Amino acid sequence: MKNLDQLAVYCGSAPGTDPAFAAAACATAAAMVREQVQLVYGGGRLGLMGLIANRVLELGGFVYGVIPQALVDIEVAHSGVTELHIVETMHERKAKMTELADAFLALPGGIGTLDEFFEAWSWNALGYHKKPFCLLNVNGYWDGLIGFIDHAAASGFMSPQRRAQLLVAETPEQALELLDEAVTAATQGMVW
């Protein structure tokens, strides 16, 4: 990777029902370590979140978790990460992850994943950062969301330029490549 050093990965705190989701988390971890991309994530030990963190660590990579104190209190924090940032609120969590990361990748997940992903996109739209974001479309998991986003654009609620910002990848390697190209473009002042 040229300019992608730290990647925020949003994903479920559950494993999901399709074994492909866990496989994608492990494959993403392996691709990140191969490319020397460090993981920034929500700091949990459960579900896909815990799985990707564990796999990055097992492969010798670096993991930076960001977790609210309330989740630490109910013992869902991952105690073995490279560095664990404990914050007070979910808003602070997202802000810290944005500060630490060069780009954002969403694996399958639920409402929390959607919240994090769309906040990263909206902060980009508002000019708070120029960091790219990508959906890893594991077994078509994001097809419905992509269809809705296309519908929102066709209905006049999203410009073609804003719609074009959404990167979609079928493999972790493709996601890392797309994100690195976008980070590189943004650092050169180009529109990605």
Side-chain angles (χ1 to χ4, degrees):
M1 299 286 101
K2 297 174 188 165
N3 288 294
L4 179 59
D5 295 318
Q6 291 186 282
L7 178 62
V9 176
Y10 304 133
C11 57
S13 59
T17 58
D18 186 339
F21 302 153
C26 289
T28 300
M32 290 176 68
V33 173
R34 261 193 320 275
E35 296 295 334
Q36 299 181 333
V37 176
Q38 300 174 359
L39 173 64
V40 175
Y41 87 118
R45 60 177 176 77
L46 304 175
L48 297 182
M49 290 175 60
L51 187 60
I52 193 169
N54 287 339
R55 191 68 184 131
V56 168
L57 292 167
E58 288 167 6
L59 295 171
F62 295 91
V63 176
Y64 301 93
V66 184
I67 192 166
Q69 183 65 54
L71 294 179
V72 173
D73 293 344
I74 59 171
E75 300 180 352
V76 298
H78 194 304
S79 60
V81 298
T82 307
E83 191 172 307
L84 186 64
H85 299 268
I86 300 173
V87 296
E88 288 303 311
T89 67
M90 292 297 281
H91 180 75
E92 289 175 25
R93 176 197 227 179
K94 292 180 285 186
K96 184 65 174 179
M97 290 176 72
T98 299
E99 174 191 322
L100 292 172
D102 300 314
F104 311 93
L105 177 64
L107 275 64
I111 193 74
T113 302
L114 291 168
D115 171 56
E116 291 166 330
F117 187 78
F118 278 111
E119 187 158 301
W121 193 352
S122 65
W123 284 9
N124 176 285
L126 294 170
Y128 296 151
H129 67 75
K130 294 182 180 182
K131 300 174 182 183
F133 38 87
C134 181
L135 297 173
L136 184 57
N137 198 18
V138 180
N139 278 0
Y141 182 79
W142 295 117
D143 286 351
L145 180 64
I146 295 164
F148 174 76
I149 290 168
D150 288 339
H151 172 69
S155 298
F157 291 103
M158 185 180 298
S159 70
Q161 296 81 6
R162 186 75 56 222
R163 170 59 186 91
Q165 285 185 303
L166 177 62
L167 303 173
V168 179
E170 300 299 320
T171 67
E173 293 79 10
Q174 182 187 24
L176 292 178
E177 183 178 331
L178 289 170
L179 289 167
D180 186 61
E181 289 172 1
V183 169
T184 301
T187 60
Q188 296 173 351
M190 298 165 32
V191 175
W192 54 271

